[in-house]
Amino acid sequence: MRIAVRTTKSTTRKNPVTVLLTALVTVLGLLALAPTTAQAQAEPSRALATGLHISGGRLLEGNGNDFVMRGVNHAHTWYPTQTQSLRDVKALGANTIRVVLADGHRWTKNTADDVAAVVAQCKANRLICVLEVHDTTGYGEDAAAGTLDQAADYWIGLKSVLAGQENYVIINIGNEPWGNTDPAGWTAPTIAAVQKLRTAGFQHTIMVDAPNWGQDWQGVMRANAQSVYNADTTGNLIFSIHMYSVFDTAAEITDYLNAFVTAKLPILIGEFGGPADQWGDPDEDTMMATAQQLKLGYLAWSWSGNTDPILDLSIGFDPKQLSTWGQRIFNGANGIAQTSKEATVYGGGTGTDTQAPTAPGTPAASATTATSTTLTWTAATDNVAVTGYDVVRVNGTTETAAAASTTNTVTVTGLTAATAYTFAVYARDAAGNRSPRSATVSVTTSPGGGTPGVSCSVAYRVVGEWQGGFQGDITLRNTGTAALTNWTLAFSFAGGQTISNMWGGTPTQSGADVSVVPASYTATIPAAGSVSVGFIGAKGATNAAPTSFTLNGTTCATT
């Protein structure tokens, strides 16, 4: 059974009153977050950190090295047998994993032995482990939710397996521990839970989630962050904002994150989504770009197993079947493969390995189309191991990230027809050491026109329905032996359905007839590979699926 691990916490619709209140709270929040001399003098003395800790608004390792989380969320408590997921996300470049646990209030309690095994697996896979209790989700609005005090008691019961793990474990007290009902009530229980753990002797960095199902759209965490931080006697506290459809503009994202950075209050994006839904379209590109610019952590939701599979990064927990969302997170611009650095406690970063890889060989271009080209190069070498490659577009003295890969080949997509490009490649190792740049290769894309020969299959399904609307998903599979590029998908609705919003492609609809062209990140369908297109639509009394699909004019098999 698929577990409903996302609820209204990620899909709060904004109305005009909300927007006005949010604007007011934004102004108040900026004032509240502005550090003053009085606040600085009032801060208590801080205990000496022994592991991961906060200093100057930054998350540092025990040796003082700056650590920026790059990783994903994993629904361990509902899928306890999927322990290979930690290995899989590490292989794709993650340096952190946020693990869903339960304290027994709402879901089956994860035992001390189980938690100890999770921590051991994190360490074996050289991952920093963020552990969170999910039972608190939406307290005050969701009657089934537990309290932060109950979550704190659960952590205290695990002290024997968590003590001594401060270099490897961050304790996220409770997931999204307040709904939209009276979110101002979040502050006091949050302070109390933090102080309860400190009184019990915990020295770990503690993470606290925002109210409003984690999205803080009423600004409560933002306005009270300084007082919550000051209440921690160790100062080892980091705030977690969850960004879904409330954060659908660049201004909202940059304003929120910069307010914390300016106030030197530590923050990360503890969950976020990219696919659009009926409430809006999160701006994941700005989230990731801003996190990279400000050197803030991010943890994408989620590896696999969602009731709503548009948020699955991998299909069926299979790392070889990344969804479009998964490809964006791991291999896209400012993604995990491009920006993640392993914690120095495992030998990464500025630790014991300081030797950079050799420069990769000069890339060679092949299979160049109007919108993509495939680059291949001779692999670099390293004294430990090469873990990935960064492909850049070179324009004079300027470089722009173009793609990332864990092998010595990659297809660069999203190019413009009949345009000249110059590319080069860097290699990097697990410690974050980067090689000299390779020699460059120049490529000119073709004038246009897609792949002439097509062999394909299409799977269409309705993900969810509600009165007057529904969410659909279309998977296009290339069953041929050559990559498909610059494709156009065509089909007809039989029940008067209309598409209002789409991700993974751009639709054009005339009556029942729909034509879809790809987004930049779905423009190429590799041989034996697939891409997914999702959408929100309106429907009448019936919602019959289309019966026929064509790709570049060729009829596809339906599955």
Side-chain angles (χ1 to χ4, degrees):
M1 180 178 71
R2 307 293 272 188
I3 303 297
V5 293
R6 300 298 316 157
T7 69
T8 54
K9 60 193 172 188
S10 67
T11 52
T12 303
R13 183 188 295 276
K14 289 180 285 186
N15 58 45
V17 174
T18 297
V19 172
L20 180 61
L21 288 172
T22 303
L24 177 60
V25 170
T26 296
V27 174
L28 295 174
L30 282 170
L31 294 174
L33 283 177
T36 66
T37 303
Q39 285 175 327
Q41 291 174 346
E43 285 193 14
S45 59
R46 306 302 192 185
L48 182 64
T50 58
L52 288 160
H53 64 283
I54 303 299
S55 179
R58 304 291 305 166
L59 177 64
L60 307 180
E61 294 188 69
N63 61 3
N65 185 70
D66 200 64
F67 182 68
V68 179
M69 285 183 265
R70 288 286 183 268
V72 304
N73 288 262
H74 170 54
H76 171 74
T77 198
W78 300 296
Y79 300 98
T81 63
Q82 297 292 343
T83 54
Q84 81 289 342
S85 295
L86 280 71
R87 177 197 65 211
D88 294 338
V89 300
K90 175 63 179 181
L92 289 165
N95 64 18
T96 305
I97 189 163
R98 182 172 180 256
V99 180
V100 176
L101 301 176
D103 64 10
H105 178 83
R106 185 171 185 177
W107 291 287
T108 302
K109 180 179 179 179
N110 293 94
T111 66
D113 288 344
D114 181 49
V115 175
V118 168
V119 173
Q121 290 161 12
C122 284
K123 293 167 70 174
N125 288 288
R126 302 163 72 92
L127 291 163
I128 295 302
C129 205
V130 178
L131 303 176
E132 61 103 340
V133 165
H134 216 76
D135 305 65
T136 58
T137 305
Y139 179 79
E141 185 174 352
D142 190 333
T147 67
L148 280 171
D149 187 64
Q150 291 166 331
D153 287 338
Y154 174 71
W155 294 119
I156 292 170
L158 294 175
K159 187 179 179 184
S160 62
V161 301
L162 297 178
Q165 304 300 326
E166 291 85 355
N167 278 307
Y168 310 96
V169 172
I170 293 173
I171 298 174
N172 190 177
I173 303 179
N175 181 71
E176 302 179 359
W178 214 275
N180 292 325
T181 302
D182 187 28
W186 166 91
T187 305
T190 299
I191 289 174
V194 171
Q195 292 179 334
K196 191 170 192 175
L197 293 182
R198 295 306 185 205
T199 299
F202 282 86
Q203 294 297 312
H204 304 70
T205 292
I206 291 175
M207 185 182 294
V208 295
D209 283 7
N212 295 128
W213 301 91
Q215 295 197 86
D216 200 30
W217 58 268
Q218 291 177 288
V220 171
M221 184 172 82
R222 179 170 170 166
N224 292 279
Q226 189 70 61
S227 62
V228 173
Y229 183 79
N230 289 346
D232 182 1
T233 55
T234 72
N236 296 324
L237 187 77
I238 187 168
F239 296 94
S240 175
I241 182 67
H242 293 184
M243 291 186 167
Y244 292 95
S245 50
V246 165
F247 290 90
D248 54 4
T249 69
E252 290 169 319
I253 295 161
T254 57
D255 176 66
Y256 195 94
L257 296 177
N258 273 292
F260 278 77
V261 172
T262 299
K264 294 190 180 301
L265 288 167
I267 191 169
L268 83 155
I269 307 174
E271 287 185 20
F272 68 106
D277 55 36
Q278 63 266 40
W279 287 277
D281 186 1
D283 185 359
E284 70 276 14
D285 291 341
T286 298
M287 296 176 202
M288 296 168 71
T290 305
Q292 180 65 10
Q293 176 195 358
L294 299 176
K295 297 182 180 180
L296 303 179
Y298 67 66
L299 304 172
W301 187 275
S302 74
W303 178 238
S304 200
N306 288 281
T307 302
D308 185 350
I310 65 168
L311 287 170
D312 281 358
L313 296 160
S314 67
I315 300 169
F317 295 92
D318 184 353
K320 296 180 181 178
Q321 295 191 64
L322 293 182
S323 65
T324 301
W325 173 226
Q327 289 286 0
R328 174 69 189 90
I329 289 299
F330 286 102
N331 299 319
N334 300 304
I336 287 173
Q338 188 181 95
T339 65
S340 176
K341 293 184 179 181
E342 186 177 86
T344 61
V345 71
Y346 298 121
T350 57
T352 57
D353 180 10
T354 59
Q355 182 174 326
T358 62
T362 304
S366 62
T368 301
T369 70
T371 59
S372 67
T373 188
T374 298
L375 302 177
T376 306
W377 55 88
T378 302
T381 60
D382 186 63
N383 64 316
V384 179
V386 173
T387 58
Y389 296 91
D390 300 326
V391 178
V392 295
R393 179 186 172 187
V394 181
N395 185 7
T397 59
T398 303
E399 293 181 356
T400 305
S405 177
T406 56
T407 66
N408 64 326
T409 185
V410 72
T411 298
V412 182
T413 61
L415 306 181
T416 302
T419 302
Y421 293 90
T422 300
F423 296 103
V425 184
Y426 291 92
R428 51 186 161 73
D429 60 20
N433 299 310
R434 204 181 197 199
S435 75
R437 196 178 80 184
S438 73
T440 61
V441 61
S442 295
V443 179
T444 300
T445 53
S446 59
T451 308
V454 172
S455 181
C456 55
S457 68
V458 173
Y460 176 97
R461 66 194 181 99
V462 173
V463 176
E465 292 187 74
W466 54 92
Q467 185 174 5
F470 73 107
Q471 180 180 320
D473 181 82
I474 305 172
T475 299
L476 293 70
R477 183 166 293 279
N478 177 5
T479 57
T481 57
L484 297 178
T485 59
N486 202 28
W487 50 264
T488 300
L489 174 72
F491 61 91
S492 298
F493 282 120
Q497 301 97 322
T498 57
I499 295 174
S500 58
N501 189 26
M502 177 173 281
W503 53 96
T506 302
T508 300
Q509 185 166 357
S510 177
D513 298 329
V514 180
S515 177
V516 179
V517 295
S520 60
Y521 53 89
T522 58
T524 298
I525 312 178
S530 65
V531 297
S532 294
V533 175
F535 65 91
I536 301 297
K539 67 179 180 69
T542 63
N543 193 21
T547 57
S548 178
F549 299 84
T550 64
L551 200 63
N552 289 5
T554 298
T555 300
C556 299
T558 54
T559 59

